[in-house]
Structures are given as structure tokens and as C-alpha cells.
């Protein structure tokens, strides 16, 4: 399958290989289902190799969760800055970024949203801040759309929770049509059979942006 991590993380030498192995195992088995020995055996190295970079399994897991959430926020911010300034275009750009990340890196995305109780205190603080920044980006766009009369959204927070849920669930059930099934994709493989026609990532980006605009009561929607 394609890289489990964005290029800038996967390319980081021995650390990148360790992060990639951790993503694969944690996503498939959960935090408690993976030991340090599992991780290092997967790489064919000794446990001391992990401890040379991380004080514990919790530290490694915490960094992955932080990096994943930071990536989501950064991609959303980048797409927002590059988009047309209309509120509907900005909301679509945010949804596109969220959907693309969760469909391109589903295992990494799975780690982003699970086992928060295992995070170190410092990581939990940073992860929460990163997620809040992503929420604030979307909230600002919806509030602006309401102010301009482009949207009719009486409860922005509920709309944001639903829109964010699109991406979170995509990581569970979606794999690109041309991607070899990964070890954690048993359920996703079943869903592909239920779906019938394969959906591309671009199709899902368009579809979910349409759903998001409906949720916020976009007044330009005529369907």
C-alpha cells in the first residue's frame, strides 16, 4: 500500500520507519494490543532502538497522535488560505482537506482520534490545542457565513461536530479503489462490497462538501 504517513514524516530515516511501523500496529490493534517488543520485532531491531528515541511506548504513541492532529489542522489552514473568500468556498475547502487526509492516510487518521486516555499530560494539552484550532477555523467560516446571510446555521457547534465526524468515520470504512488492503482494513473491505461502485477521494471530497453546505443552510443551494 502507499505510505502510511505523509512524506515529510515517512522520510525521516530510522525514526520515520519506527513511526510507520507504529502506525500500522497501533491502528490495527489499539494501544494496549501493541508492546514495545512487537514494534521492534516488526522492524527487526532490538527494543533498545526504540528507547534511544522515546522514553516509553506512551511517548511514541503520544507523538503520533499529536503529529496526526497537527497534520489535519495544517492541511485545513492551508486549504482555507488558498480558497476563494466566499464562505461556501471556504467551508468546502476545509471539508476537502479533512476528507483528503482521512482517506489518504486512514491508519494515521485512526490513531488521531482514539485512545486519548493513553496520552501523556503534555501530549494531551498539545493535541487538544491543535484540535481546537481546527474547530475554530471552521467556526469562524460558519459565523462569517451567518453574518453575511450566506448560511442559516442556528447551531454551529453541532454542525461542526457532524462535519468533523465525516472524516473520522471515513478512516474506518474507506480505502482508495487502487490501494492494496492493509492489515486493519477487514471492515473497510466489507464496506467496499456493500458500496458497489468504487468512490474516488475526489468524489468523496465533493460529496461531503455538499453535505456540509446543506448542514449549515447554505442559501446558494438549490437542490
Amino acid at each position: 500500500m502507499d505510505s502510511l504517513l505523509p512524506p515529510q514524516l515517512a522520510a525521516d530515516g530510522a525514526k520515520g520507519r519506527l513511526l510507520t511501523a507504529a502506525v500500522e500496529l497501533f491502528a490495527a490493534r489499539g494501544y494496549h494490543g501493541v508492546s514495545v517488543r512487537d514494534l521492534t520485532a516488526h522492524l527487526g531491531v532490538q527494543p533498545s532502538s526504540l528507547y534511544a528515541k522515546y522514553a516509553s511506548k506512551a511517548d511514541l504513541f503520544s507523538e503520533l497522535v499529536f503529529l496526526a492532529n497537527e497534520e489535519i489542522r495544517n492541511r485545513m489552514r492551508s486549504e482555507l488560505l488558498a480558497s476563494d473568500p466566499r464562505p461556501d468556498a471556504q467551508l468546502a475547502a476545509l471539508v476537502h482537506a479533512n476528507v483528503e487526509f482521512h482517506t489518504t492516510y486512514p491508519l494515521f487518521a485512526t490513531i488521531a482520534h482514539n485512545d486519548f486516555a493513553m496520552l501523556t499530560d503534555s501530549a494531551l494539552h498539545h493535541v487538544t490545542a491543535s484540535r481546537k484550532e481546527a474547530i475554530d477555523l471552521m467556526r469562524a467560516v460558519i459565523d462569517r457565513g451567518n453574518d453575511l446571510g450566506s448560511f442559516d446555521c442556528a447551531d454551529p457547534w453541532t454542525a461542526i461536530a457532524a462535519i468533523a465526524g465525516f472524516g473520522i468515520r471515513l478512516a474506518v470504512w474507506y480505502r482508495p479503489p487502487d490501494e492494496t488492503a492493509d492489515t486493519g482494513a477487514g471492515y473497510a473491505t466489507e464496506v467496499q462490497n456493500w458500496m458497489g461502485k468504487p468512490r474516488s477521494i475526489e468524489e468523496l471530497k465533493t460529496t461531503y462538501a455538499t453535505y456540509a453546505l446543506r448542514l449549515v443552510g447554505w442559501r446558494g443551494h438549490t437542490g
Side-chain angles (χ1 to χ4, degrees), residues 36-201:
V36 169
R37 191 167 297 278
D38 291 331
L39 288 164
T40 54
H42 193 76
L43 290 168
V45 298
Q46 295 298 314
S48 58
S49 297
L50 184 147
Y51 291 121
K53 295 178 174 60
Y54 296 96
S56 67
K57 182 180 76 167
D59 283 339
L60 169 59
F61 181 78
S62 293
E63 180 167 351
L64 278 173
V65 176
F66 170 68
L67 289 172
N69 281 281
E70 189 177 52
E71 184 75 12
I72 294 168
R73 181 206 60 201
N74 289 346
R75 285 169 175 250
M76 290 176 66
R77 180 185 293 156
S78 179
E79 288 297 315
L80 179 64
L81 291 173
S83 74
D84 186 290
R86 298 189 328 272
D88 60 292
Q90 290 184 326
L91 182 59
L94 291 171
V95 173
H96 288 171
N98 197 38
V99 169
E100 184 165 45
F101 173 78
H102 286 80
T103 50
T104 304
Y105 303 105
L107 301 191
F108 194 31
T110 296
I111 291 171
H113 306 298
N114 291 288
D115 287 328
F116 280 6
M118 300 301 106
L119 297 178
T120 63
D121 289 343
S122 175
L124 181 60
H125 171 76
H126 290 302
V127 167
T128 301
S130 185
R131 291 170 76 94
K132 180 62 164 55
E133 288 170 9
I135 289 170
D136 287 346
L137 291 174
M138 194 170 293
R139 178 62 189 259
V141 169
I142 295 175
D143 285 346
R144 179 167 166 267
N146 278 339
D147 292 342
L148 293 174
S150 299
F151 299 158
D152 181 16
C153 184
D155 187 354
W157 167 247
T158 301
I160 291 169
I163 294 167
F166 294 163
I168 294 171
R169 296 307 300 169
L170 275 170
V172 175
W173 66 261
Y174 182 78
R175 297 295 182 274
D178 58 349
E179 182 178 290
T180 302
D182 58 68
T183 56
Y187 177 70
T189 300
E190 289 295 324
V191 173
Q192 308 309 307
N193 294 331
W194 304 341
M195 288 169 59
K197 180 182 77 70
R199 276 79 164 171
S200 69
I201 291 175

